[in-house]
Amino acid sequence: MALLKTWRDMAYNQQADRAKLQQFWAAYFEKEKQIYAQLLKNPDEVVEGTVKELADKYGVSVMTMTGFLDGINDSLKNANPIEEMEEDTVVNLGFDKELLYKNMVAAEADWLYNLEEWNAIYDEETKKRLYKEQKSSTTVVKAAKIYPNDPCPCGSGKKYKKCCGKNK
């Protein structure tokens, strides 16, 4: 069975005891934070290896590394084949820095986008800009309602009801 399915069955188990699941995620987030801290110290280095080799390199289990690879995959320059990944699958951790930061913001993972290692990569202004870009990209802006007596948005100068709003 592919590692990702095993990871997801374990991490998102609806029948699991809530307290145990919370402990599981707390432990995972701490390990994830440590891996990101190491990666961000050398952000331009593309780390490669098998899933097992990377798990050993960062001192985590293969399952934890699978979860990490699942989380970082959308931020990579070249995505890994996570759906069919096994222990001996060669993967890379070559990430796009801006995309990674924005994805951490999108996931509301403040323990990750506030890592002090980001300070060596981006200044405060850049981090604020990236944060705002990510937050505004998910904001839905509803178009203003056009009423019958409003000027027509097509620019004709007529009232909406006498122009584009006819027969509506």
Side-chain angles (χ1 to χ4, degrees):
M1 180 174 5
L3 290 174
L4 188 63
K5 179 168 178 10
T6 307
W7 161 257
R8 287 181 176 164
D9 288 349
M10 184 174 65
Y12 304 106
N13 184 350
Q14 297 298 318
Q15 282 74 46
D17 176 47
R18 283 183 70 113
K20 283 186 179 163
L21 210 51
Q22 281 182 324
Q23 285 177 326
F24 168 83
W25 279 107
Y28 170 78
F29 290 144
E30 191 53 43
K31 291 172 188 165
E32 176 188 48
K33 185 176 168 182
Q34 292 167 3
I35 296 171
Y36 276 119
Q38 287 182 347
L39 283 175
L40 292 172
K41 284 178 184 165
N42 235 338
D44 297 318
E45 176 191 357
V46 178
V47 177
E48 283 186 326
T50 65
V51 176
K52 176 84 172 99
E53 288 168 350
L54 292 182
D56 292 344
K57 176 179 178 155
Y58 293 106
V60 296
S61 69
V62 169
M63 277 297 105
T64 298
M65 182 51 64
T66 302
F68 181 83
L69 290 165
D70 185 24
I72 197 173
N73 211 45
D74 290 340
S75 304
L76 299 177
K77 292 176 183 170
N78 299 306
N80 290 312
I82 59 168
E83 295 295 333
E84 57 270 349
M85 192 168 59
E86 296 295 344
E87 282 190 26
D88 58 352
T89 303
V90 176
V91 292
N92 83 83
L93 299 177
F95 57 91
D96 176 307
K97 292 180 284 246
E98 280 196 11
L99 186 57
L100 179 63
Y101 191 85
K102 287 180 177 181
N103 285 340
M104 288 175 171
V105 170
E108 298 181 3
D110 57 339
W111 64 93
L112 296 177
Y113 66 78
N114 284 328
L115 281 168
E116 81 176 47
E117 284 77 10
W118 281 112
N119 297 335
I121 300 169
Y122 294 129
D123 59 21
E124 277 307 307
E125 208 171 285
T126 305
K127 290 192 289 185
K128 282 180 184 172
R129 178 182 56 81
L130 293 172
Y131 183 91
K132 284 180 181 174
E133 281 176 16
Q134 174 55 43
K135 288 297 187 181
S136 66
S137 73
T138 58
T139 303
V140 178
V141 179
K142 254 174 90 173
K145 180 156 173 46
I146 303 168
Y147 294 94
N149 288 326
D150 289 345
C152 191
C154 76
S156 68
K158 296 179 182 177
K159 288 186 176 183
Y160 180 67
K161 69 182 177 188
K162 297 282 186 184
C163 190
C164 295
K166 258 185 178 170
N167 302 325
K168 291 205 179 200

